[in-house]
Amino acid sequence: MATLGDNLKINGDRLWDSLMEMAKIGPGVAGGNNRQTLTDADAEGRALFQRWCEEAGLTLGVDKMGTMFARREGTDPDALPVYVGSHLDTQPTGGKYDGVLGVLGGLELVRTLNDLDIKTKHPIVVTNWTNEEGTRFAPAMLASGVFAGMHELEWAYDRTDAKGLKFGDELKRIGWVGDEEVGGRKMKAFFELHIEQGPILEAEGKDIGVVTHGQGLWWLQVTLTGKDAHTGSTPMPMRKNAGLGMARMTELVHEIAMSHQPEAVGAIGHVDVYPNSRNVIPGKVVFTIDFRSPHQSTLDSMKGRFEAEAPKIAEALGLEMEIEVSGHFDPVTFDEECVAAVRGAAERLGYSHRDIVSGAGHDACWINRLYPTAMVMCPCVDGLSHNEAEDISKEWAGAGADVLLHAVVETAEIVE
Ligand SMILES: [Zn+2]
């Protein structure tokens, strides 16, 4: 097998131009993008990506979830393909790079191989997963989830948006129902390039994040029930203040996460207070806790400690308490060999790098359940994402795509 020279690089200007071209489709209101899944803008973005893939000589396959697979042949027709990609859909007030960089970075990698007439033994397939964001149709990572056997196809088709429109109908309307069974494809490996969506790489001045783990999470929905009463005339000892219980539990969640630093986070992000009136002691509060960690044991012990200690807080305040699990993902450990390929690529190319944990969910997390998978991250300004002001530099994008190129080509085996 031939080796990769440290001078093998993608065309950073061309990648950047493609990112800017795609960003013209489904513009946001503040310089970012609103290209939500299965909208007309999504269809337009898909058509542009399709045209670029055809121009690069790739063969497009589409599955019944609308996921696009653009294939560059290898020299061995029986060799399992190496997959690369991410998503072209965005949040309603999304940035130009979240997901898009991973798809267009994959396309740029193929364009570079074409330019240099480099052949690989294994085919390379650039993928655009449908509905990664999950804002219009929950849950997130819907198509990769069906691919990985986490959801049934019919269940996915029945998801509805805020207007009551069904995923399956909207997929048909924009003309992207493919004929392939979902999950039928076999992969040698899957690589996803993504912006960090956090502040660590930029703060430490690193070019590349070598993603070793994805965080698992527990979402707990807590309902505290006390008694609505007048804030002025109810004596303090006679109150059953659900708001106070929520406040003490907010402290508890923070303290639990702090006791597992640096590899755990926890917060109460969503709160409904009833009746939410200036002069009524809250009789009921419903809130959700979000605990995350890349380690299963830490994750479970955080949940366990909350479940043990929170009822004591409720009891002391005379409140009733219900805890319900409203979401759960196991932590993800990415494939050792694929991770080593990413780290080795950064090393060979002379890019500064560090191991990092993905705080957000990605399509790669589902695919990792089936096939060897790894992720490459590049910094983003101020860690800002899911925001129209999301920003990266051309150099960061280029470095990330260079590392992707090397990791993918090494795995797909270069042929002289
Ligand atoms: Zn994303």
Side-chain angles (χ1 to χ4, degrees), residues 86-87 89 97-100 132-133 192 194-195 197 361-363 385-386:
S86 192
H87 58 95
D89 70 317
Y97 312 101
D98 171 2
V100 188
E132 191 277 344
E133 294 291 0
E192 180 168 0
H194 207 282
I195 61 167
Q197 305 183 283
H362 296 288
D363 295 308
S385 184
H386 286 190

Side-chain angles (χ1 to χ4, degrees), residues 29-53:
V29 291
N33 276 107
N34 177 4
R35 201 170 49 246
Q36 293 183 71
T37 196
L38 310 192
T39 57
D40 293 346
D42 183 18
E44 209 185 316
R46 286 165 176 267
L48 176 60
F49 177 60
Q50 177 180 25
R51 175 161 71 75
W52 283 338
C53 288

Side-chain angles (χ1 to χ4, degrees), residues 299-318:
L299 194 63
D300 292 343
S301 89
M302 288 198 292
K303 173 173 175 274
R305 210 181 125 197
F306 182 82
E307 286 167 339
E309 293 181 23
K312 294 179 203 160
I313 293 174
E315 206 193 323
L317 295 172

Side-chain angles (χ1 to χ4, degrees), residues 60-311:
L60 186 67
V62 182
D63 73 12
K64 289 181 173 169
M65 281 295 286
T67 296
M68 302 167 70
F69 300 98
R71 174 180 169 120
R72 181 183 197 257
E73 288 308 326
T75 57
D76 178 353
D78 298 326
L80 283 180
V82 176
Y83 282 70
V84 55
S86 192
H87 58 95
L88 291 175
D89 70 317
T90 74
Q91 291 281 326
T93 53
K96 299 193 277 285
Y97 312 101
D98 171 2
V100 188
L101 177 64
V103 178
L104 300 186
L107 175 66
E108 174 51 40
L109 168 176
V110 164
R111 287 169 165 174
T112 299
L113 296 181
N114 289 347
D115 289 349
L116 303 173
D117 200 22
I118 292 174
K119 294 181 172 51
T120 56
K121 178 181 161 194
H122 297 259
I124 294 170
V125 180
V126 186
T127 308
N128 170 33
W129 298 104
T130 299
N131 189 27
E132 191 277 344
E133 294 291 0
T135 12
R136 188 176 171 206
F137 300 99
M141 296 127 65
L142 186 63
S144 55
V146 176
F147 190 95
M150 308 305 299
H151 320 297
E152 296 292 336
L153 180 68
E154 289 306 322
W155 182 84
Y157 279 178
D158 280 345
R159 300 299 90 210
T160 50
D161 69 5
K163 289 184 188 146
L165 299 169
K166 285 191 173 172
F167 178 97
D169 296 338
E170 284 294 278
L171 182 61
K172 206 176 293 168
R173 184 186 68 79
I174 67 160
W176 280 92
V177 186
D179 49 11
E180 276 184 33
E181 292 305 321
V182 182
R185 288 168 173 260
K186 306 271 177 284
M187 305 181 181
K188 183 182 187 205
F190 177 67
F191 290 92
E192 180 168 0
L193 167 64
H194 207 282
I195 61 167
E196 182 195 345
Q197 305 183 283
I200 298 170
L201 296 175
E202 187 191 29
E204 295 189 3
K206 300 281 199 250
D207 305 314
I208 296 294
V210 179
V211 186
T212 57
H213 294 80
Q215 300 205 97
L217 70 81
W218 279 115
W219 284 346
L220 305 176
Q221 178 165 305
V222 179
T223 304
L224 294 176
T225 311
K227 193 166 193 186
D228 301 355
H230 197 293
T231 50
S233 55
T234 315
M236 292 302 283
M238 295 179 71
R239 297 177 178 214
K240 291 184 175 176
N241 184 345
L244 179 58
M246 190 272 295
R248 290 187 181 169
M249 288 180 199
T250 305
E251 287 282 1
L252 175 63
V253 166
H254 184 73
E255 197 258 303
I256 289 173
M258 287 303 286
S259 71
H260 289 283
Q261 288 310 294
E263 294 195 317
V265 290
I268 291 174
H270 178 252
V271 180
D272 284 319
V273 178
Y274 301 93
N276 206 17
S277 172
R278 188 168 303 151
N279 51 2
V280 183
I281 297 161
K284 185 168 116 173
V285 179
V286 181
F287 58 94
T288 54
I289 298 163
D290 180 323
F291 280 128
R292 301 189 193 207
S293 171
H295 304 296
Q296 188 81 56
S297 57
T298 305
L299 194 63
D300 292 343
S301 89
M302 288 198 292
K303 173 173 175 274
R305 210 181 125 197
F306 182 82
E307 286 167 339
E309 293 181 23

Side-chain angles (χ1 to χ4, degrees), residues 336-349:
E336 222 171 284
E337 230 176 285
C338 290
V339 170
V342 171
R343 196 183 290 116
E347 199 64 40
R348 186 184 309 123
L349 288 157

Side-chain angles (χ1 to χ4, degrees), residues 323-356:
I323 306 180
E324 192 188 321
V325 171
S326 60
H328 174 65
F329 293 115
D330 285 332
V332 173
T333 303
F334 287 113
D335 179 73
E336 222 171 284
E337 230 176 285
C338 290
V339 170
V342 171
R343 196 183 290 116
E347 199 64 40
R348 186 184 309 123
L349 288 157
Y351 291 130
S352 60
H353 60 89
R354 61 162 278 158
D355 288 0
I356 197 165

